[in-house]
Amino acid sequence: MAAAAPSVFLLMVNGQVESAQFPEYDDLYCKYCFVYGQDWAPTAGLEEGISQITSKSQDARRALVWNFPIDVTFKSTNPYGCEIPHGLTPALSFEGPQIVLSVYGPDVFGNDVVRGYGAVHVPLSPGRHKKTIPMFVPESTSKLQKFTSWFMGRRPEYTDPKVVAQGEGREVTRVRSQGFVTLLFNVVTKDMRKLGYDTGPPDTQGVSGPSPPQGLPR
Amino acid sequence: MAEVHVIGQIMGATGFSESSLLCKWGVHTGPGFVSPWAAWKLLSGVREGQTQVDTPQIGDMAYWSHPIDLHFATKGLQGWPRLHLQVWSQDSFGRCQLAGYGFCHVPSSPGTHQLDCPTWRPLGSWREQLARAFVGGGPQLLHGDAIYSGADRYRLHTTSGGTVHLELSLLLRHFDRYGVEC
């Protein structure tokens, strides 16, 4: 009389791209998009978005606030295509979804240049999570190229920001980290426990990520 | 079979005297002693990799944010996965010099964990230390398994390097079926 065991689980994420800290730059906007493996599918909400342009506040905090909403629901699909080792129940093998952020701002000539890329995995445990992620830009390979790109307003950027979510291919890139973005996630999952997953104790204070260096406002 | 998902990032490193840093990482699983029942299988994810080279503009922490997403299946608790790290610094000529070796066990309880992994590097003789200060280079391990095993460590004389910071989330599956508490 037991109900049929579920075969997929849902991951509902809402929250916001809260604010950023970039000591050297102002008038920034950010774009976010979700990157996920083939075992996930977004079922509701928006997978990408572009925020407003924000300027630093005049007070001592010098904060860059976006307060930009995120609302998406993922469904994990059942991968019958992959080879399942003997003795294993049809497993849900997945590459957890990640959110990729790109921050852009004007340079001294008025061109729109990239100020940072960053990515973080969407937390899989239910609860409230606050993540502060460092943002980095690719560096030019030579001083001449650095000057030319500054002058022409065409900085090195990734052709597809989703590259930021991967680990492969990073070993040949040189980057500069120059800012932080703070994100807030509220995560609700459905049927993960029924499928045998244990995500650990609920994380209600949920503060994680590197703290910005001393001297910068929190 | 029980499954373990390790999802997280190698955030970055602090405390190294050099500034343009990269990290080569790998995950080692395996029987602590030879046993036919203890076997870890990697179902998905890459077992090793190398981060980008980061030069920090603010503060002294080099940030990599390198994603780690591994899915293991296991029949036993022996040989719990260990993450081993090699931090190298790159100078303006593109040469790489060893900054530190370190390892840490992947956490064994589900949830999100902040890990700080201290590193060390081999010292060498006073001649080699002098050469390293002026010209660069310096002794390196021939076989990477000394990083995560204690077998021949007594032969080494090392000095300490900086700390690598990681954030890893563990998701366990079916561990309660086998009566394992973690």
Side-chain angles (χ1 to χ4, degrees), chain A residues 85 93 95-96 119 121 124 131 134 165 167-168 170 173-177 180 195-199 208, chain B residues 7 9 43 46 52-55 57 63-67 69 71 90 110 114 167 171-174:
Chain A
S93 67
E95 298 158 21
H121 286 278
L124 292 169
K131 303 245 181 212
E168 298 90 35
R170 282 203 184 189
T173 57
R174 253 175 291 209
V175 300
R176 220 170 49 228
S177 49
F180 300 92
L195 285 159
Y197 288 96
D198 181 2
T199 55
S208 72
Chain B
I7 298 176
Q9 290 185 339
L43 295 178
V46 274
Q52 56 214 15
V53 181
D54 182 53
T55 315
Q57 294 292 290
Y63 287 101
W64 298 309
S65 300
H66 191 93
D69 198 333
H71 183 192
Q90 192 181 65
Q114 309 288 330
E167 185 185 289
L171 189 58
L172 303 177
R173 190 174 188 219
H174 298 322

mmCIF file of all heavy atoms in Angstrom, chain A residues 85 93 95-96 119 121 124 131 134 165 167-168 170 173-177 180 195-199 208, chain B residues 7 9 43 46 52-55 57 63-67 69 71 90 110 114 167 171-174:
data_model
loop_
_atom_site.group_PDB
_atom_site.id
_atom_site.type_symbol
_atom_site.label_atom_id
_atom_site.label_comp_id
_atom_site.label_asym_id
_atom_site.label_seq_id
_atom_site.Cartn_x
_atom_site.Cartn_y
_atom_site.Cartn_z
ATOM 1 N N PRO A 85 26.667 1.171 -12.111
ATOM 2 C CA PRO A 85 27.429 0.034 -11.593
ATOM 3 C C PRO A 85 26.505 -1.006 -10.963
ATOM 4 O O PRO A 85 25.442 -0.683 -10.455
ATOM 5 C CB PRO A 85 28.329 0.656 -10.531
ATOM 6 C CG PRO A 85 28.357 2.102 -10.836
ATOM 7 C CD PRO A 85 27.085 2.428 -11.506
ATOM 8 N N SER A 93 22.746 10.824 -10.716
ATOM 9 C CA SER A 93 24.091 11.398 -10.744
ATOM 10 C C SER A 93 23.957 12.800 -11.288
ATOM 11 O O SER A 93 23.292 13.024 -12.287
ATOM 12 C CB SER A 93 25.003 10.573 -11.635
ATOM 13 O OG SER A 93 24.619 10.665 -12.964
ATOM 14 N N GLU A 95 25.586 16.980 -11.813
ATOM 15 C CA GLU A 95 26.480 18.103 -11.569
ATOM 16 C C GLU A 95 25.577 19.182 -11.021
ATOM 17 O O GLU A 95 24.721 19.684 -11.727
ATOM 18 C CB GLU A 95 27.084 18.613 -12.876
ATOM 19 C CG GLU A 95 27.932 17.615 -13.603
ATOM 20 C CD GLU A 95 28.033 17.986 -15.068
ATOM 21 O OE1 GLU A 95 27.808 19.165 -15.412
ATOM 22 O OE2 GLU A 95 28.305 17.095 -15.858
ATOM 23 N N GLY A 96 25.787 19.542 -9.758
ATOM 24 C CA GLY A 96 24.884 20.486 -9.130
ATOM 25 C C GLY A 96 24.814 21.780 -9.900
ATOM 26 O O GLY A 96 25.812 22.229 -10.453
ATOM 27 N N ALA A 119 31.308 32.464 -9.814
ATOM 28 C CA ALA A 119 30.305 31.399 -9.861
ATOM 29 C C ALA A 119 30.282 30.690 -8.518
ATOM 30 O O ALA A 119 31.300 30.632 -7.821
ATOM 31 C CB ALA A 119 30.633 30.388 -10.957
ATOM 32 N N HIS A 121 28.088 27.171 -6.491
ATOM 33 C CA HIS A 121 27.058 26.138 -6.567
ATOM 34 C C HIS A 121 25.826 26.585 -5.802
ATOM 35 O O HIS A 121 25.937 27.157 -4.716
ATOM 36 C CB HIS A 121 27.547 24.846 -5.924
ATOM 37 C CG HIS A 121 28.553 24.114 -6.749
ATOM 38 N ND1 HIS A 121 28.210 23.282 -7.787
ATOM 39 C CD2 HIS A 121 29.895 24.090 -6.684
ATOM 40 C CE1 HIS A 121 29.304 22.777 -8.324
ATOM 41 N NE2 HIS A 121 30.343 23.254 -7.675
ATOM 42 N N LEU A 124 22.400 22.809 -1.844
ATOM 43 C CA LEU A 124 21.413 21.744 -1.989
ATOM 44 C C LEU A 124 20.725 21.429 -0.675
ATOM 45 O O LEU A 124 19.850 20.572 -0.631
ATOM 46 C CB LEU A 124 22.080 20.479 -2.532
ATOM 47 C CG LEU A 124 22.561 20.608 -3.968
ATOM 48 C CD1 LEU A 124 23.434 19.442 -4.326
ATOM 49 C CD2 LEU A 124 21.392 20.670 -4.911
ATOM 50 N N LYS A 131 26.085 33.825 0.669
ATOM 51 C CA LYS A 131 27.391 33.506 0.085
ATOM 52 C C LYS A 131 28.032 34.781 -0.432
ATOM 53 O O LYS A 131 27.381 35.561 -1.120
ATOM 54 C CB LYS A 131 27.232 32.547 -1.099
ATOM 55 C CG LYS A 131 26.543 31.268 -0.764
ATOM 56 C CD LYS A 131 27.480 30.106 -0.937
ATOM 57 C CE LYS A 131 26.770 28.813 -0.608
ATOM 58 N NZ LYS A 131 27.608 27.831 -0.046
ATOM 59 N N PRO A 134 34.096 35.847 -4.601
ATOM 60 C CA PRO A 134 35.071 36.753 -5.207
ATOM 61 C C PRO A 134 34.848 36.841 -6.711
ATOM 62 O O PRO A 134 34.428 35.876 -7.338
ATOM 63 C CB PRO A 134 36.409 36.082 -4.885
ATOM 64 C CG PRO A 134 36.093 34.662 -4.674
ATOM 65 C CD PRO A 134 34.688 34.568 -4.207
ATOM 66 N N ALA A 165 31.924 28.483 -14.768
ATOM 67 C CA ALA A 165 31.403 27.454 -13.875
ATOM 68 C C ALA A 165 32.176 26.154 -13.977
ATOM 69 O O ALA A 165 31.964 25.246 -13.181
ATOM 70 C CB ALA A 165 29.927 27.198 -14.198
ATOM 71 N N GLY A 167 35.693 23.688 -14.231
ATOM 72 C CA GLY A 167 37.063 23.640 -13.759
ATOM 73 C C GLY A 167 38.039 23.328 -14.880
ATOM 74 O O GLY A 167 39.194 23.726 -14.834
ATOM 75 N N GLU A 168 37.569 22.610 -15.924
ATOM 76 C CA GLU A 168 38.493 22.190 -16.977
ATOM 77 C C GLU A 168 38.891 23.385 -17.816
ATOM 78 O O GLU A 168 38.074 24.232 -18.121
ATOM 79 C CB GLU A 168 37.841 21.157 -17.900
ATOM 80 C CG GLU A 168 37.439 19.887 -17.215
ATOM 81 C CD GLU A 168 36.037 19.954 -16.687
ATOM 82 O OE1 GLU A 168 35.202 20.583 -17.338
ATOM 83 O OE2 GLU A 168 35.783 19.413 -15.617
ATOM 84 N N ARG A 170 40.921 25.702 -16.988
ATOM 85 C CA ARG A 170 41.321 26.888 -16.250
ATOM 86 C C ARG A 170 42.825 26.983 -16.102
ATOM 87 O O ARG A 170 43.359 28.042 -15.776
ATOM 88 C CB ARG A 170 40.730 26.839 -14.851
ATOM 89 C CG ARG A 170 39.284 27.203 -14.821
ATOM 90 C CD ARG A 170 38.983 27.656 -13.451
ATOM 91 N NE ARG A 170 37.587 27.951 -13.254
ATOM 92 C CZ ARG A 170 37.119 28.529 -12.160
ATOM 93 N NH1 ARG A 170 37.933 28.839 -11.202
ATOM 94 N NH2 ARG A 170 35.851 28.778 -12.030
ATOM 95 N N THR A 173 44.682 29.917 -17.782
ATOM 96 C CA THR A 173 44.241 31.308 -17.686
ATOM 97 C C THR A 173 44.875 32.010 -16.499
ATOM 98 O O THR A 173 45.116 31.411 -15.462
ATOM 99 C CB THR A 173 42.714 31.393 -17.526
ATOM 100 O OG1 THR A 173 42.339 30.642 -16.378
ATOM 101 C CG2 THR A 173 42.003 30.849 -18.725
ATOM 102 N N ARG A 174 45.119 33.312 -16.707
ATOM 103 C CA ARG A 174 45.643 34.149 -15.632
ATOM 104 C C ARG A 174 44.587 35.180 -15.321
ATOM 105 O O ARG A 174 44.053 35.820 -16.213
ATOM 106 C CB ARG A 174 46.915 34.856 -16.093
ATOM 107 C CG ARG A 174 48.176 34.294 -15.472
ATOM 108 C CD ARG A 174 49.362 34.949 -16.048
ATOM 109 N NE ARG A 174 49.541 34.558 -17.433
ATOM 110 C CZ ARG A 174 50.733 34.507 -18.018
ATOM 111 N NH1 ARG A 174 51.813 34.808 -17.339
ATOM 112 N NH2 ARG A 174 50.841 34.179 -19.279
ATOM 113 N N VAL A 175 44.260 35.370 -14.046
ATOM 114 C CA VAL A 175 43.183 36.278 -13.688
ATOM 115 C C VAL A 175 43.610 37.175 -12.548
ATOM 116 O O VAL A 175 44.631 36.986 -11.912
ATOM 117 C CB VAL A 175 41.920 35.506 -13.238
ATOM 118 C CG1 VAL A 175 41.412 34.610 -14.330
ATOM 119 C CG2 VAL A 175 42.216 34.703 -11.993
ATOM 120 N N ARG A 176 42.771 38.197 -12.330
ATOM 121 C CA ARG A 176 42.974 39.153 -11.251
ATOM 122 C C ARG A 176 41.677 39.212 -10.470
ATOM 123 O O ARG A 176 40.615 39.419 -11.068
ATOM 124 C CB ARG A 176 43.242 40.532 -11.880
ATOM 125 C CG ARG A 176 44.295 41.350 -11.198
ATOM 126 C CD ARG A 176 44.668 42.561 -11.997
ATOM 127 N NE ARG A 176 43.535 43.315 -12.436
ATOM 128 C CZ ARG A 176 43.382 43.738 -13.687
ATOM 129 N NH1 ARG A 176 44.276 43.446 -14.597
ATOM 130 N NH2 ARG A 176 42.334 44.451 -14.021
ATOM 131 N N SER A 177 41.738 39.039 -9.171
ATOM 132 C CA SER A 177 40.492 39.110 -8.409
ATOM 133 C C SER A 177 40.370 40.512 -7.849
ATOM 134 O O SER A 177 41.313 41.036 -7.262
ATOM 135 C CB SER A 177 40.488 38.078 -7.289
ATOM 136 O OG SER A 177 41.679 38.145 -6.557
ATOM 137 N N PHE A 180 33.932 41.596 -4.694
ATOM 138 C CA PHE A 180 33.101 40.536 -4.123
ATOM 139 C C PHE A 180 31.646 40.848 -4.391
ATOM 140 O O PHE A 180 31.251 41.996 -4.445
ATOM 141 C CB PHE A 180 33.280 40.465 -2.599
ATOM 142 C CG PHE A 180 34.673 40.178 -2.175
ATOM 143 C CD1 PHE A 180 35.552 41.209 -1.910
ATOM 144 C CD2 PHE A 180 35.118 38.877 -2.046
ATOM 145 C CE1 PHE A 180 36.849 40.952 -1.525
ATOM 146 C CE2 PHE A 180 36.407 38.620 -1.659
ATOM 147 C CZ PHE A 180 37.280 39.656 -1.406
ATOM 148 N N LEU A 195 14.278 9.950 -1.481
ATOM 149 C CA LEU A 195 15.180 9.257 -2.390
ATOM 150 C C LEU A 195 16.471 8.851 -1.703
ATOM 151 O O LEU A 195 17.379 8.347 -2.345
ATOM 152 C CB LEU A 195 15.484 10.158 -3.596
ATOM 153 C CG LEU A 195 14.311 10.223 -4.550
ATOM 154 C CD1 LEU A 195 14.387 11.439 -5.435
ATOM 155 C CD2 LEU A 195 14.283 8.983 -5.414
ATOM 156 N N GLY A 196 16.545 9.074 -0.403
ATOM 157 C CA GLY A 196 17.693 8.568 0.332
ATOM 158 C C GLY A 196 18.800 9.573 0.569
ATOM 159 O O GLY A 196 19.842 9.244 1.122
ATOM 160 N N TYR A 197 18.609 10.840 0.150
ATOM 161 C CA TYR A 197 19.673 11.823 0.325
ATOM 162 C C TYR A 197 19.633 12.448 1.707
ATOM 163 O O TYR A 197 18.569 12.757 2.232
ATOM 164 C CB TYR A 197 19.537 12.941 -0.719
ATOM 165 C CG TYR A 197 19.907 12.490 -2.102
ATOM 166 C CD1 TYR A 197 18.929 12.077 -2.996
ATOM 167 C CD2 TYR A 197 21.232 12.450 -2.515
ATOM 168 C CE1 TYR A 197 19.272 11.648 -4.267
ATOM 169 C CE2 TYR A 197 21.576 12.022 -3.774
ATOM 170 C CZ TYR A 197 20.593 11.622 -4.644
ATOM 171 O OH TYR A 197 20.928 11.185 -5.892
ATOM 172 N N ASP A 198 20.818 12.629 2.284
ATOM 173 C CA ASP A 198 20.930 13.276 3.585
ATOM 174 C C ASP A 198 21.738 14.535 3.379
ATOM 175 O O ASP A 198 22.917 14.478 3.020
ATOM 176 C CB ASP A 198 21.644 12.316 4.548
ATOM 177 C CG ASP A 198 21.777 12.904 5.935
ATOM 178 O OD1 ASP A 198 21.286 14.024 6.178
ATOM 179 O OD2 ASP A 198 22.369 12.225 6.784
ATOM 180 N N THR A 199 21.095 15.687 3.576
ATOM 181 C CA THR A 199 21.803 16.926 3.289
ATOM 182 C C THR A 199 22.372 17.571 4.528
ATOM 183 O O THR A 199 22.893 18.657 4.469
ATOM 184 C CB THR A 199 20.853 17.930 2.612
ATOM 185 O OG1 THR A 199 19.716 18.100 3.457
ATOM 186 C CG2 THR A 199 20.407 17.431 1.271
ATOM 187 N N SER A 208 28.393 32.137 4.842
ATOM 188 C CA SER A 208 29.586 31.411 4.420
ATOM 189 C C SER A 208 30.287 32.200 3.339
ATOM 190 O O SER A 208 29.775 33.185 2.845
ATOM 191 C CB SER A 208 29.207 30.036 3.890
ATOM 192 O OG SER A 208 28.581 30.165 2.649
ATOM 193 N N ILE B 7 30.387 18.565 -3.284
ATOM 194 C CA ILE B 7 30.134 19.712 -4.164
ATOM 195 C C ILE B 7 30.671 20.939 -3.459
ATOM 196 O O ILE B 7 30.319 21.193 -2.317
ATOM 197 C CB ILE B 7 28.622 19.874 -4.396
ATOM 198 C CG1 ILE B 7 28.088 18.632 -5.078
ATOM 199 C CG2 ILE B 7 28.331 21.094 -5.250
ATOM 200 C CD1 ILE B 7 26.602 18.662 -5.254
ATOM 201 N N GLN B 9 33.910 24.344 -3.624
ATOM 202 C CA GLN B 9 34.925 25.112 -4.337
ATOM 203 C C GLN B 9 36.211 25.143 -3.550
ATOM 204 O O GLN B 9 36.205 25.111 -2.325
ATOM 205 C CB GLN B 9 34.472 26.570 -4.478
ATOM 206 C CG GLN B 9 33.347 26.802 -5.406
ATOM 207 C CD GLN B 9 33.068 28.279 -5.567
ATOM 208 O OE1 GLN B 9 33.441 29.079 -4.736
ATOM 209 N NE2 GLN B 9 32.413 28.622 -6.643
ATOM 210 N N LEU B 43 31.745 8.007 -9.847
ATOM 211 C CA LEU B 43 30.684 7.878 -10.844
ATOM 212 C C LEU B 43 30.644 9.065 -11.791
ATOM 213 O O LEU B 43 30.347 8.912 -12.964
ATOM 214 C CB LEU B 43 29.325 7.745 -10.151
ATOM 215 C CG LEU B 43 29.147 6.489 -9.319
ATOM 216 C CD1 LEU B 43 27.780 6.516 -8.660
ATOM 217 C CD2 LEU B 43 29.277 5.264 -10.191
ATOM 218 N N VAL B 46 35.388 15.221 -12.301
ATOM 219 C CA VAL B 46 36.818 15.035 -12.607
ATOM 220 C C VAL B 46 37.579 14.900 -11.312
ATOM 221 O O VAL B 46 37.342 15.642 -10.360
ATOM 222 C CB VAL B 46 37.401 16.209 -13.421
ATOM 223 C CG1 VAL B 46 37.169 16.011 -14.873
ATOM 224 C CG2 VAL B 46 36.826 17.521 -12.989
ATOM 225 N N GLN B 52 43.063 28.358 -12.086
ATOM 226 C CA GLN B 52 43.676 29.464 -12.826
ATOM 227 C C GLN B 52 44.720 30.127 -11.941
ATOM 228 O O GLN B 52 44.785 29.869 -10.744
ATOM 229 C CB GLN B 52 42.605 30.476 -13.189
ATOM 230 C CG GLN B 52 41.864 30.976 -11.970
ATOM 231 C CD GLN B 52 40.421 31.266 -12.269
ATOM 232 O OE1 GLN B 52 39.894 30.856 -13.291
ATOM 233 N NE2 GLN B 52 39.762 31.976 -11.391
ATOM 234 N N VAL B 53 45.512 31.020 -12.538
ATOM 235 C CA VAL B 53 46.517 31.749 -11.768
ATOM 236 C C VAL B 53 45.879 33.070 -11.357
ATOM 237 O O VAL B 53 45.420 33.824 -12.206
ATOM 238 C CB VAL B 53 47.759 32.047 -12.634
ATOM 239 C CG1 VAL B 53 48.799 32.781 -11.821
ATOM 240 C CG2 VAL B 53 48.321 30.761 -13.195
ATOM 241 N N ASP B 54 45.842 33.357 -10.069
ATOM 242 C CA ASP B 54 45.190 34.591 -9.648
ATOM 243 C C ASP B 54 46.167 35.547 -9.009
ATOM 244 O O ASP B 54 46.985 35.160 -8.175
ATOM 245 C CB ASP B 54 44.069 34.290 -8.643
ATOM 246 C CG ASP B 54 43.339 35.548 -8.223
ATOM 247 O OD1 ASP B 54 42.891 36.278 -9.116
ATOM 248 O OD2 ASP B 54 43.248 35.813 -7.023
ATOM 249 N N THR B 55 46.061 36.820 -9.413
ATOM 250 C CA THR B 55 46.863 37.877 -8.785
ATOM 251 C C THR B 55 45.882 38.802 -8.087
ATOM 252 O O THR B 55 45.128 39.511 -8.748
ATOM 253 C CB THR B 55 47.626 38.659 -9.869
ATOM 254 O OG1 THR B 55 48.195 37.742 -10.779
ATOM 255 C CG2 THR B 55 48.706 39.514 -9.253
ATOM 256 N N GLN B 57 44.032 41.887 -6.406
ATOM 257 C CA GLN B 57 44.179 43.333 -6.425
ATOM 258 C C GLN B 57 43.895 43.932 -5.062
ATOM 259 O O GLN B 57 44.420 44.973 -4.699
ATOM 260 C CB GLN B 57 43.174 43.956 -7.420
ATOM 261 C CG GLN B 57 43.443 43.579 -8.844
ATOM 262 C CD GLN B 57 44.730 44.184 -9.340
ATOM 263 O OE1 GLN B 57 44.832 45.373 -9.531
ATOM 264 N NE2 GLN B 57 45.724 43.355 -9.538
ATOM 265 N N TYR B 63 42.180 34.329 -4.931
ATOM 266 C CA TYR B 63 40.903 33.632 -5.067
ATOM 267 C C TYR B 63 40.880 32.792 -6.329
ATOM 268 O O TYR B 63 41.181 33.279 -7.408
ATOM 269 C CB TYR B 63 39.757 34.655 -5.138
ATOM 270 C CG TYR B 63 39.479 35.299 -3.809
ATOM 271 C CD1 TYR B 63 39.957 36.568 -3.526
ATOM 272 C CD2 TYR B 63 38.751 34.625 -2.842
ATOM 273 C CE1 TYR B 63 39.710 37.158 -2.302
ATOM 274 C CE2 TYR B 63 38.501 35.210 -1.620
ATOM 275 C CZ TYR B 63 38.979 36.474 -1.347
ATOM 276 O OH TYR B 63 38.736 37.044 -0.125
ATOM 277 N N TRP B 64 40.518 31.521 -6.195
ATOM 278 C CA TRP B 64 40.377 30.679 -7.376
ATOM 279 C C TRP B 64 38.928 30.335 -7.665
ATOM 280 O O TRP B 64 38.541 30.200 -8.799
ATOM 281 C CB TRP B 64 41.179 29.385 -7.191
ATOM 282 C CG TRP B 64 42.629 29.616 -7.033
ATOM 283 C CD1 TRP B 64 43.430 30.364 -7.845
ATOM 284 C CD2 TRP B 64 43.480 29.088 -6.017
ATOM 285 N NE1 TRP B 64 44.728 30.340 -7.377
ATOM 286 C CE2 TRP B 64 44.791 29.564 -6.266
ATOM 287 C CE3 TRP B 64 43.259 28.258 -4.909
ATOM 288 C CZ2 TRP B 64 45.863 29.241 -5.450
ATOM 289 C CZ3 TRP B 64 44.331 27.939 -4.105
ATOM 290 C CH2 TRP B 64 45.619 28.432 -4.377
ATOM 291 N N SER B 65 38.111 30.117 -6.651
ATOM 292 C CA SER B 65 36.717 29.685 -6.809
ATOM 293 C C SER B 65 36.626 28.520 -7.785
ATOM 294 O O SER B 65 35.818 28.520 -8.709
ATOM 295 C CB SER B 65 35.848 30.818 -7.353
ATOM 296 O OG SER B 65 35.857 31.902 -6.502
ATOM 297 N N HIS B 66 37.462 27.529 -7.588
ATOM 298 C CA HIS B 66 37.506 26.411 -8.531
ATOM 299 C C HIS B 66 36.455 25.384 -8.146
ATOM 300 O O HIS B 66 36.497 24.857 -7.051
ATOM 301 C CB HIS B 66 38.897 25.782 -8.517
ATOM 302 C CG HIS B 66 39.114 24.805 -9.614
ATOM 303 N ND1 HIS B 66 39.677 25.156 -10.822
ATOM 304 C CD2 HIS B 66 38.823 23.488 -9.704
ATOM 305 C CE1 HIS B 66 39.742 24.096 -11.591
ATOM 306 N NE2 HIS B 66 39.226 23.073 -10.949
ATOM 307 N N PRO B 67 35.501 25.062 -9.052
ATOM 308 C CA PRO B 67 34.417 24.163 -8.655
ATOM 309 C C PRO B 67 34.883 22.709 -8.531
ATOM 310 O O PRO B 67 35.680 22.234 -9.323
ATOM 311 C CB PRO B 67 33.407 24.306 -9.811
ATOM 312 C CG PRO B 67 34.209 24.730 -10.973
ATOM 313 C CD PRO B 67 35.366 25.518 -10.448
ATOM 314 N N ASP B 69 33.008 18.953 -8.085
ATOM 315 C CA ASP B 69 31.718 18.282 -8.111
ATOM 316 C C ASP B 69 31.993 16.809 -8.368
ATOM 317 O O ASP B 69 32.260 16.418 -9.494
ATOM 318 C CB ASP B 69 30.855 18.894 -9.231
ATOM 319 C CG ASP B 69 29.389 18.583 -9.056
ATOM 320 O OD1 ASP B 69 29.073 17.548 -8.446
ATOM 321 O OD2 ASP B 69 28.566 19.365 -9.546
ATOM 322 N N HIS B 71 31.047 12.589 -7.514
ATOM 323 C CA HIS B 71 30.012 11.664 -7.104
ATOM 324 C C HIS B 71 30.665 10.303 -6.943
ATOM 325 O O HIS B 71 31.124 9.705 -7.909
ATOM 326 C CB HIS B 71 28.926 11.625 -8.186
ATOM 327 C CG HIS B 71 27.771 10.765 -7.841
ATOM 328 N ND1 HIS B 71 26.810 10.413 -8.761
ATOM 329 C CD2 HIS B 71 27.396 10.165 -6.673
ATOM 330 C CE1 HIS B 71 25.907 9.649 -8.173
ATOM 331 N NE2 HIS B 71 26.241 9.486 -6.916
ATOM 332 N N GLN B 90 53.515 31.677 -9.877
ATOM 333 C CA GLN B 90 54.006 31.909 -11.237
ATOM 334 C C GLN B 90 54.593 33.310 -11.291
ATOM 335 O O GLN B 90 53.957 34.261 -10.839
ATOM 336 C CB GLN B 90 52.850 31.786 -12.229
ATOM 337 C CG GLN B 90 53.295 31.733 -13.662
ATOM 338 C CD GLN B 90 52.116 31.628 -14.613
ATOM 339 O OE1 GLN B 90 51.322 32.549 -14.700
ATOM 340 N NE2 GLN B 90 52.006 30.523 -15.314
ATOM 341 N N PRO B 110 27.283 15.139 6.550
ATOM 342 C CA PRO B 110 26.612 15.912 5.506
ATOM 343 C C PRO B 110 26.456 17.369 5.929
ATOM 344 O O PRO B 110 26.419 17.692 7.102
ATOM 345 C CB PRO B 110 25.250 15.232 5.383
ATOM 346 C CG PRO B 110 25.050 14.510 6.649
ATOM 347 C CD PRO B 110 26.387 14.148 7.172
ATOM 348 N N GLN B 114 33.560 24.648 6.054
ATOM 349 C CA GLN B 114 34.660 25.523 5.653
ATOM 350 C C GLN B 114 35.937 24.822 6.081
ATOM 351 O O GLN B 114 36.083 24.484 7.250
ATOM 352 C CB GLN B 114 34.586 26.862 6.391
ATOM 353 C CG GLN B 114 33.251 27.556 6.332
ATOM 354 C CD GLN B 114 32.985 28.112 4.966
ATOM 355 O OE1 GLN B 114 33.911 28.474 4.251
ATOM 356 N NE2 GLN B 114 31.724 28.163 4.582
ATOM 357 N N GLU B 167 35.541 25.342 0.543
ATOM 358 C CA GLU B 167 34.205 25.192 1.081
ATOM 359 C C GLU B 167 33.594 23.989 0.389
ATOM 360 O O GLU B 167 33.449 23.991 -0.824
ATOM 361 C CB GLU B 167 33.355 26.428 0.796
ATOM 362 C CG GLU B 167 32.004 26.348 1.442
ATOM 363 C CD GLU B 167 31.125 27.510 1.053
ATOM 364 O OE1 GLU B 167 31.412 28.614 1.506
ATOM 365 O OE2 GLU B 167 30.176 27.284 0.293
ATOM 366 N N LEU B 171 26.857 15.531 0.488
ATOM 367 C CA LEU B 171 25.498 15.014 0.401
ATOM 368 C C LEU B 171 25.666 13.506 0.425
ATOM 369 O O LEU B 171 26.350 12.950 -0.421
ATOM 370 C CB LEU B 171 24.904 15.480 -0.935
ATOM 371 C CG LEU B 171 23.454 15.291 -1.246
ATOM 372 C CD1 LEU B 171 22.611 15.957 -0.214
ATOM 373 C CD2 LEU B 171 23.175 15.890 -2.611
ATOM 374 N N LEU B 172 25.066 12.854 1.416
ATOM 375 C CA LEU B 172 25.237 11.404 1.523
ATOM 376 C C LEU B 172 23.940 10.713 1.167
ATOM 377 O O LEU B 172 22.861 11.257 1.388
ATOM 378 C CB LEU B 172 25.620 11.033 2.961
ATOM 379 C CG LEU B 172 26.871 11.720 3.508
ATOM 380 C CD1 LEU B 172 27.087 11.311 4.943
ATOM 381 C CD2 LEU B 172 28.077 11.355 2.680
ATOM 382 N N ARG B 173 24.043 9.517 0.623
ATOM 383 C CA ARG B 173 22.838 8.806 0.229
ATOM 384 C C ARG B 173 22.932 7.369 0.677
ATOM 385 O O ARG B 173 23.954 6.724 0.458
ATOM 386 C CB ARG B 173 22.699 8.871 -1.292
ATOM 387 C CG ARG B 173 21.374 8.385 -1.760
ATOM 388 C CD ARG B 173 21.209 8.594 -3.243
ATOM 389 N NE ARG B 173 19.836 8.287 -3.598
ATOM 390 C CZ ARG B 173 19.469 7.663 -4.700
ATOM 391 N NH1 ARG B 173 20.378 7.298 -5.557
ATOM 392 N NH2 ARG B 173 18.208 7.433 -4.946
ATOM 393 N N HIS B 174 21.849 6.875 1.287
ATOM 394 C CA HIS B 174 21.731 5.478 1.691
ATOM 395 C C HIS B 174 22.683 5.081 2.798
ATOM 396 O O HIS B 174 22.862 3.898 3.045
ATOM 397 C CB HIS B 174 21.929 4.518 0.508
ATOM 398 C CG HIS B 174 20.901 4.693 -0.554
ATOM 399 N ND1 HIS B 174 19.589 4.958 -0.287
ATOM 400 C CD2 HIS B 174 21.000 4.653 -1.894
ATOM 401 C CE1 HIS B 174 18.921 5.080 -1.417
ATOM 402 N NE2 HIS B 174 19.746 4.893 -2.410
#
